Each structure stands twice: as structure tokens, then as C-alpha cells.
Amino acid sequence: MTTVISAPRERTRTTSLRSRVRRALAPYIFVGPFLVAFALFMVLPLISAFNNSFYADRLVGGRVFVGFDNYRRAFDDSLFWQSAWRVIRFGVVQVIVMLTLSTMFAIGINRMTSWVRHVYRLGIFLPFAIPSVVAALMWGYLYSKNIGPIPDLADAIGTPAVELLSPSWILFSIGNIVTWSFVGYNMIIIYAALQTIPPSLYEAAELDGATKFQQTRTITLPLLRPALLLTTVFSIIGTLQLFAEPETLRRLAPQSINSSFTPNLYALNIAFVSNDLSYAAAVSFIIGFIAFVLSYAFMFVSTKRNT
Amino acid sequence: MYTSSSQSPGRRRPGKRLAALLLTVATVAAACGGSGDDASEATTDDSSAPAASDDIGEDTPDATTGEEPAESDGDKTDVTMWSRVPDLDIQIEDFEAANPVIDIDWQNVGHGGDQYTQLRTAIQAGVVPDVAHIEYQELPAFVAEGALVDVTAYGASELADTYAPGLWANVSGANGEVYGYPWDGGPMGMLYREDIFTEFGIEVPTTWDEFAQAAVDLREQTTDVFLTNATPADAGWWTAMLWQAGARPFQIDGTTVTVDLDDEPAVRVADYWGGLIADGVVSADPDFTPEWNEGFNSGKYATWIAPAWAPSFLQGIAEDTDGLWRVAPIPQWNEGDAVSSNWGGSTLAVIEGTDTPDEAARVAQWFTSEPESTQLFATEQLLFPSTNALLNSEEYTGTEVPFYGGQKVAEIFAEASANVDTEFQFPPFNATWYQFWTDAVGPRIESGDLAPALTETEERVIEFAEQQGFTIGQ
């Protein structure tokens, strides 16, 4: 009898130990492949680039340690700060327009009941699936003054066609491409957040006689805050990294987009046109730092306000 | 992603948020250090001749020859060659038949800037291709980086009369060093629409003065056609213009660089084109864009001041104008002169660090000068020849091209090839100056006030050269 009883007890103990070990190990096994790749392709290059940013590799004189010279040079580099300032101004307008549209679309689709909403959702999301270079090429064609349809459209309406690739319109034109590409992506994040809002809240509000508009203002938007925060931070970082669109349009509009139009474009050209990898590394770290500061400042401000 | 965002109202866990932020920021920084693929193409690939459009399967550049040199297969030596010229197999077969002791491992690692970035990476890593395809304007940079073998030790100095003088000057160092074998060239000429010239009574201009007058005359009669489309923002085209006018923007003497971007000929060229643009008698659309292609196809541009690789390129983009084009020498600054310059073309260079420099040099020399294979390059891969033998061969230059009304196109460019000014020098940071120039001139094109862009570029170039450790000559 006793043996019969003790045997299963034994077994439960060992299995539970084994399963405990297994359970403890499981997360590491799952994230393991990622961590390896992350260390190899992200952490190591970052360390190497950081190290490299303290050297100068000159055509005459070779590689020398220069301390913080590259960073000092970047702080005095008006082209770099012009580019940073340009994307920040660009972002303030573009991110607000894009996220307003995303939120409106998400709320609209969430309200729809028929199958049509699937069509809308997919249609708005689809541009995100188009590679940014392809998107920029496509829009570049639409913008062009002789072969694109915009001059014809303007003609039909009877207004003079704006030159969308001219210096005064270029930021608008790029903003349009970026918004078109990312409005759906942000919409999906916001839409998912909408779905987690319990319907009972709306039912209660309805009983209290709240209008649809009041419901949106007092229930939906406050509960969307985390999703809006997230999409805003992503968008701030994305804006600072603005690259593929201006790079692609540059060939079409050398009068409007120079090699230091955005910080990333500038860093890339320093690295691979001028072969000054050390300076490019320093510039890249400063861009990263700016993205960090802006994102954190945004989170700080937006959380402060409501506590 | 969205579940976490909708559940955690953020503000409770600043530590984790901070970590997440740092992570994303790290991604930004790391991304900056990486990929330059699509970028460099547009910026440094201006001379990528017609051949560039055919991209042969992207072999990965593992370039193992550096580690395991030679003698892998009995007495055979492996020579790795990087080139973007399409269908190279044709000539490789011929080479290996003629040189049974050498095996060529051909790799296409992309063109222009892509390949140069890869090459620099390979040099850093110490596993280099033995031979690489490098454009003339990029040679001095690789020489300054110590990346190229002086091939005079392998008999190259005896080849001075083998290649066109303008190209030979571009591969030769100040003290007789030779850093590359000229493979193809791009002497400048003028393509023009004979039908438009006839319709509006325009004579083929032989000087730039006549050309300017023709631009005005044409514009007085029609608003549909411009005599030409000027592309100052394309530094390759612009350099060819400066070169032909006799500008000497760079003089290199060891580690001393003399920069004079706004010398008299350069200002003359800037004022000339800027004036025509400001007067509205020539257009100034950026080149190698769909709109520009359409400009040729629809008859918006009546000429193209263009290099020897342009005739076949034009056939590809302006199909509707078949048979209407003709070729003439480039207009001259002084009546009676016959000065041309070069835009594009490339060399085969032996890369420092190769274990088989002798064989590598043999490969490079054979591919660029062996009569049968160079003939094939000219007719199959459409490289404009670099060898005097081919440039003087009536069989080659006598070919009549239907797109050009049966004209002997190569004959005119072969002559231009012999007239290329041999004094022009590229700086050891050519891609940088090209970029600075495009940045400076771009916003000035519409107004036509181009000369200040020369001065602005000169200032930036001097600052860059000093940063790179060069002494600036006076």
C-alpha cells in the first residue's frame, strides 16, 4: 500500500521539478534566437560604431584617435542641424495629420457593421505593404510636371498646377507619401485598441443619454491614449529616420532635395559617398540621441498632464 | 504589439518604457550605420552606361580567393573578378581556352556605389577580389586609399600606345605608375534630330556660339522643342563640360591638392549654360528620369550633348524617333578646334592584397586589349572601345546604325576619342565633390545663376580635403 502511494508522490515531485526547470528555461529558449541575432547584428555593430566614432580615418594620415572631435564637429555642422530641424518641423505637421486621420478611420471602421469595413480596412492598410522606394517612385511619377496627371487635373479645374517637386512644395509632397504609407499601419494599432474597450461602457453611457460625439470624447479617446502614445512615439522616431522617400525623389528634384536633406540621408552620404565612416557614426549616434530625447520628452509631457 | 499597447497605460512603469525607448533608439543608430544599397546607386552611378541596366544575378561576394590563393586545381590559378558587365561568360570562356592555367571566378556585386562600398568592405576584411571594375573618376580615390596595385611591374607601361590617350591619362599616375587597364570610354559628341533641324532651318552648330544662336532661333519658331536639355546637376555631364572647356578644377601632387573650381573656363561654362537656361531657350530637366526619357521620345529635346555610350542608350528610351537622329562632334569653344572630353567608361584594376598579381594583371590586360574579345565587348555588350586598334578598325567604325539614319556612329565617336584633352585630373574624393556640386547647383538651376555654385562648391571641397589630411596648394 504505502509503496503504491509513495510512488506517484515521488513522480509528481520529479515531474514538477523538471517542469519547473523547463518552465524557467522556456522563455530563454524562445527569445534565444532573437537575442543571438540581436547581439550579432545590433549590439555588436553599435559598439563597433560607437568605438569608431572616436577615430578619424583620413585619406592622408590614416586612422587616428580623435576623442570627441567628431561629435564636436557635428555640433558645429550647420548642414546637420538644418536637416534635423527640417524633419522636426516636418514631423510636427505630418505626425499630427497622419494620426488624426488614422484615429478617424479607426473609429469609423469600428462603427461600421457591414462587410464593407473589411474592404476599407484592407484598402487603407494596403499602402503600408508597398516598399517605400516603390511608393516614392510611384508618387514621383504622379508629381512630375510633364508626364504626371496632376497638371491635367489642375487644367481641368482651371487652376495653375503647383509644381509638387519644387523647393516650396517638396515637404508637403514627401509628407503626402509618408502619410499615405503609414496611415493604415497606425490605424490598425488604434483599431485594435478600440476593440478592447468594453461595449458595456458605451451601453452605460447610452443609458445616461450621452450622444455619440460625447461617447467618443469621454470614453473612446481617453481609452485610446496608450495606443496614441505608442503610435506617436513610433512616428517621431520614424520621422527622424526619414530617408527612402527623399533619397528616391532626389534624382527627380535635385533643385529641392540635397544630400543633407534629412539627418539619415546626410549620415548615409557621409558614410558611403565621402567614406567618412567615423564622422557618420558620430552623426548617427546624435540622431539616435535626438530621437530618444524627443520621444521621452513627449511621453513625459503627455503622462504629466494627466496625473 | 497592440495588445500590450492597449493594456498598459504606460505611466506606471517608466523603467520599462525607458528600456524600450533605448532599444528603439539603438535601432535608429544601428540602422544609420548599415544599408546604403538604394542610396548610393542614384548618387554615384551617373556614368553607368547602357550596360548597367542588365544586372546579372547577384552573386554573393564571398571572394574566397584571398584566403585560399592559387593552385587549388592542379596547376590552375583562380582569379576573382568583380564586374557588372553583362554576359561576361562569353569572353571568360575565350580567355580560359587561351590561358588554361587560369580560372576566372566572375562575380557581379552590383554597379557604381554599391560595388565600391563592397570593395572597401572587402579591403577592410582582407579578402579582396583580384581584379575589379572601377570607373575612371573613382580610380584616384582607390589609389589614395592604397587599394590598387601599380601594374607597371607587370608590363603595363608598354601599353601606352594600346589604349586611347585620353583614357590612358586617366589611369596613369604622376610618375608613370599605372593603376588600371582602360576597358571602355565615353568621349563626348552631340546627338541631334535631323528632322527638327531641317524643319526649322537649323544648321548643325560647330561652335558653342552657333549652338547658343541655334537655341534662340529654334525657340523663336516653336514652343514645343528646346534645342537641348542641360543637366548641370548631373556632375558627370557637368565635368565633361568643364573638361572640354579646358577647366582644371583639381591638380594633385602627392598629398597636395590644388582646388580651383571657379577658373575662367569653368565660369565661362557656368555662365553659358546658366544664360541659356535663364533665357528659356534650353530646358533643364534632371536627367535619367522617366520625364527626361519621355522628353527624347516625344521630341521635346532636339539634341543631347552626350558621350559615346549614349547612342545605344537613346535607342532604348526613344523608340518613337527611330531613324531621325544623327551624330556630330561636340561644338567647340574656339572655331576650328576639335577638343572633346570624357564622360563615363571604366577600367579593370588589380586590387592590393591579391596573392596573384601577375595573373590578375594578365586577366585585366587580356579583357581590355585582346582583339577578339574587345571586338565582342563592343558589339555584344556595347562597351565603347578603349583600344586604338579597335578605334581605328574600319570594320568596327564603319558599322551603319539604322536608328541614326544609317550613319557611321562609331566613326564620329572614335574621332572624338582621339581628341580628348589629356590634362584633366579627377580628385581622390571625386564622389564627394560630385555630391557637393549637385547640392550647390541644384537650387540655382531655375534662375540660371550657376557661377556662384562653383565658388560654394570650392569652399566645401577645400574644407573636406583639409579634413581628409590633404595639403591645399595655391
Side-chain angles (χ1 to χ4, degrees):
Chain A
M1 268 304 251
T2 41
T3 47
V4 177
I5 292 166
S6 69
R9 210 186 272 157
E10 228 9 71
R11 213 180 297 140
T12 20
R13 242 197 12 226
T14 48
T15 47
S16 80
L17 181 70
R18 204 189 300 158
S19 74
R20 232 185 303 151
V21 170
R22 217 187 279 163
R23 206 170 295 164
L25 272 178
Y28 297 98
I29 291 167
F30 281 121
V31 294
F34 164 75
L35 279 183
V36 170
F38 183 71
L40 277 178
F41 299 112
M42 191 63 74
V43 179
L44 278 181
L46 268 177
I47 294 171
S48 148
F50 190 62
N51 178 48
N52 199 16
S53 70
F54 296 101
Y55 288 84
D57 207 348
R58 300 186 176 123
L59 274 172
V60 180
R63 189 175 160 90
V64 280
F65 182 80
V66 294
F68 284 94
D69 274 8
N70 286 324
Y71 290 92
R72 239 173 263 142
R73 188 176 147 199
F75 278 106
D76 289 337
D77 189 338
S78 60
L79 288 175
F80 173 66
W81 293 107
Q82 277 167 23
S83 72
W85 182 231
R86 182 179 294 118
V87 291
I88 290 169
R89 277 181 306 161
F90 168 85
V92 168
V93 177
Q94 190 268 330
V95 171
I96 291 173
V97 169
M98 175 178 68
L99 292 182
T100 308
L101 285 175
S102 296
T103 311
M104 281 165 50
F105 289 147
I107 293 174
I109 286 172
N110 199 35
R111 291 254 177 85
M112 288 182 194
T113 42
S114 78
W115 58 270
V116 182
R117 70 171 166 168
H118 298 299
V119 178
Y120 272 96
R121 199 172 54 184
L122 186 68
I124 295 170
F125 183 72
L126 210 57
F128 180 68
I130 294 172
S132 48
V133 173
V134 178
L137 281 174
M138 212 173 72
W139 280 101
Y141 168 79
L142 294 176
Y143 292 157
S144 79
K145 62 173 187 239
N146 292 333
I147 55 172
I150 288 172
D152 292 340
L153 277 176
D155 243 18
I157 310 168
T159 55
V162 285
E163 278 199 36
L164 288 162
L165 292 173
S166 65
S168 39
W169 281 92
I170 196 73
L171 279 179
F172 168 84
S173 303
I174 293 173
N176 177 52
I177 302 175
V178 176
T179 305
W180 177 82
S181 298
F182 286 95
V183 83
Y185 168 79
N186 290 302
M187 179 197 73
I188 292 289
I189 295 180
I190 296 166
Y191 177 74
L194 278 178
Q195 306 244 296
T196 64
I197 300 174
S200 56
L201 291 178
Y202 294 105
E203 285 158 19
E206 197 105 6
L207 283 178
D208 290 340
T211 62
K212 282 276 180 216
F213 178 72
Q214 282 172 319
Q215 289 176 23
T216 303
R217 202 168 54 84
T218 55
I219 302 173
T220 316
L221 287 180
L223 288 174
L224 277 184
R225 258 175 52 86
L228 288 174
L229 272 179
L230 180 89
T231 47
T232 308
V233 170
F234 279 0
S235 303
I236 290 173
I237 296 169
T239 300
L240 275 165
Q241 289 193 73
L242 191 63
F243 171 74
E245 293 83 3
E247 170 61 26
T248 311
L249 293 179
R250 196 149 73 99
R251 186 86 232 182
L252 307 178
Q255 76 277 21
S256 309
I257 303 175
N258 60 24
S259 65
S260 54
F261 192 74
T262 75
N264 263 16
L265 193 55
Y266 190 40
L268 178 118
N269 284 321
I270 295 168
F272 297 115
V273 174
S274 298
N275 299 309
D276 194 346
L277 288 168
S278 308
Y279 185 46
V283 165
S284 302
F285 273 97
I286 296 174
I287 298 170
F289 186 72
I290 296 174
F292 168 73
V293 167
L294 288 181
S295 308
Y296 200 77
F298 170 76
M299 303 243 284
F300 186 76
V301 168
S302 54
T303 45
K304 252 284 153 59
R305 219 184 40 203
N306 269 1
T307 33
Chain B
M1 186 187 298
Y2 24 88
T3 43
S4 77
S5 74
S6 48
Q7 278 164 8
S8 69
R11 71 184 85 107
R12 252 168 268 142
R13 293 177 297 182
K16 279 201 176 157
R17 278 205 332 253
L18 189 66
L21 256 180
L22 274 172
L23 218 144
T24 22
V25 167
T27 320
V28 180
C32 301
S35 73
D37 300 36
D38 30 42
S40 27
E41 186 175 88
T43 47
T44 45
D45 196 32
D46 43 62
S47 58
S48 53
S53 51
D54 309 59
D55 220 359
I56 294 304
E58 303 240 332
D59 299 23
T60 28
D62 50 4
T64 40
T65 42
E67 286 165 356
E68 247 183 88
E71 282 91 1
S72 50
D73 185 15
D75 290 332
K76 281 197 175 183
T77 307
D78 281 331
V79 170
T80 310
M81 172 154 82
W82 282 9
S83 171
R84 62 170 156 79
V85 169
D87 305 323
L88 213 49
D89 292 321
I90 313 172
Q91 286 91 352
I92 289 175
E93 231 167 77
D94 290 348
F95 175 87
E96 287 176 348
N99 299 271
V101 291
I102 296 177
D103 258 342
I104 295 180
D105 178 12
W106 167 42
Q107 298 172 353
N108 183 342
V109 301
H111 41 248
D114 282 357
Q115 193 211 229
Y116 300 139
T117 302
Q118 300 250 35
L119 186 55
R120 291 194 164 95
T121 312
I123 290 166
Q124 285 269 314
V127 260
V128 296
D130 303 295
V131 180
H133 187 171
I134 298 176
E135 291 155 294
Y136 297 100
Q137 76 269 16
E138 288 295 326
L139 271 187
F142 284 104
V143 172
E145 289 162 29
L148 306 183
V149 174
D150 174 7
V151 284
T152 44
Y154 308 99
S157 32
E158 284 141 43
L159 301 171
D161 296 330
T162 305
Y163 301 102
L167 302 177
W168 187 251
N170 277 330
V171 299
S172 305
N175 306 310
E177 306 92 333
V178 177
Y179 290 106
Y181 297 83
W183 201 359
D184 65 330
M188 296 293 286
M190 178 173 76
L191 315 183
Y192 68 97
R193 284 279 297 271
E194 195 200 29
D195 58 325
I196 294 177
F197 274 41
T198 312
E199 188 184 343
F200 296 102
I202 309 277
E203 296 272 320
V204 178
T206 56
T207 65
W208 287 116
D209 282 342
E210 286 173 23
F211 187 88
Q213 190 55 50
V216 175
D217 292 347
L218 179 64
R219 209 57 192 162
E220 274 169 2
Q221 302 174 66
T222 172
T223 53
D224 298 334
V225 190
F226 289 97
L227 183 64
T228 196
N229 179 64
T231 53
D234 185 327
W237 183 83
W238 184 253
T239 298
M241 293 297 123
L242 295 182
W243 185 340
Q244 196 234 353
R248 297 283 177 265
F250 302 98
Q251 301 288 333
I252 297 96
D253 180 13
T255 58
T256 305
V257 182
T258 310
V259 184
D260 188 7
L261 278 170
D262 50 4
D263 60 0
E264 184 278 321
V267 173
R268 185 181 354 128
V269 171
D271 288 344
Y272 179 83
W273 289 106
L276 293 178
I277 294 168
D279 293 345
V281 293
V282 307
S283 59
D285 304 327
D287 55 3
F288 303 100
T289 68
E291 186 154 354
W292 177 81
N293 290 352
E294 186 53 27
F296 284 114
N297 201 34
S298 66
K300 182 181 173 191
Y301 317 134
T303 69
W304 182 15
I305 309 298
W309 44 264
S312 54
F313 183 85
L314 187 68
Q315 289 191 43
I317 58 170
E319 289 166 352
D320 295 353
T321 58
D322 193 1
L324 303 177
W325 290 87
R326 298 293 181 274
V327 182
I330 188 169
Q332 297 296 311
W333 286 103
N334 300 311
E335 210 177 328
D337 276 1
V339 186
S340 187
S341 55
N342 196 74
W343 177 13
S346 46
T347 70
L348 277 179
V350 177
I351 306 301
E352 191 65 57
T354 172
D355 291 299
T356 54
D358 207 347
E359 288 81 357
R362 206 154 114 206
V363 169
Q365 184 180 333
W366 196 91
F367 271 75
T368 55
S369 65
E370 197 276 329
E372 270 173 46
S373 71
T374 48
Q375 168 90 36
L376 273 174
F377 279 125
T379 54
E380 294 300 313
Q381 284 107 332
L382 303 175
L383 301 187
F384 186 77
S386 60
T387 61
N388 290 325
L390 204 48
L391 290 165
N392 294 327
S393 132
E394 288 199 4
E395 191 195 336
Y396 171 69
T397 57
T399 311
E400 294 171 357
V401 188
F403 190 86
Y404 297 88
Q407 202 184 356
K408 293 171 182 168
V409 171
E411 196 175 72
I412 304 215
F413 281 106
E415 210 177 299
S417 181
N419 292 332
V420 171
D421 173 5
T422 55
E423 294 298 309
F424 191 86
Q425 284 186 297
F426 290 109
F429 37 78
N430 197 70
T432 301
W433 113 256
Y434 271 17
Q435 182 161 79
F436 289 173
W437 166 253
T438 305
D439 281 356
V441 79
R444 292 186 165 92
I445 290 174
E446 206 178 333
S447 70
D449 191 15
L450 307 186
L454 291 166
T455 314
E456 185 187 316
T457 309
E458 179 174 309
E459 283 162 12
R460 266 186 96 181
V461 166
I462 288 177
E463 191 192 339
F464 179 81
E466 280 173 341
Q467 264 155 9
Q468 290 294 321
F470 288 99
T471 311
I472 307 300
Q474 293 306 317

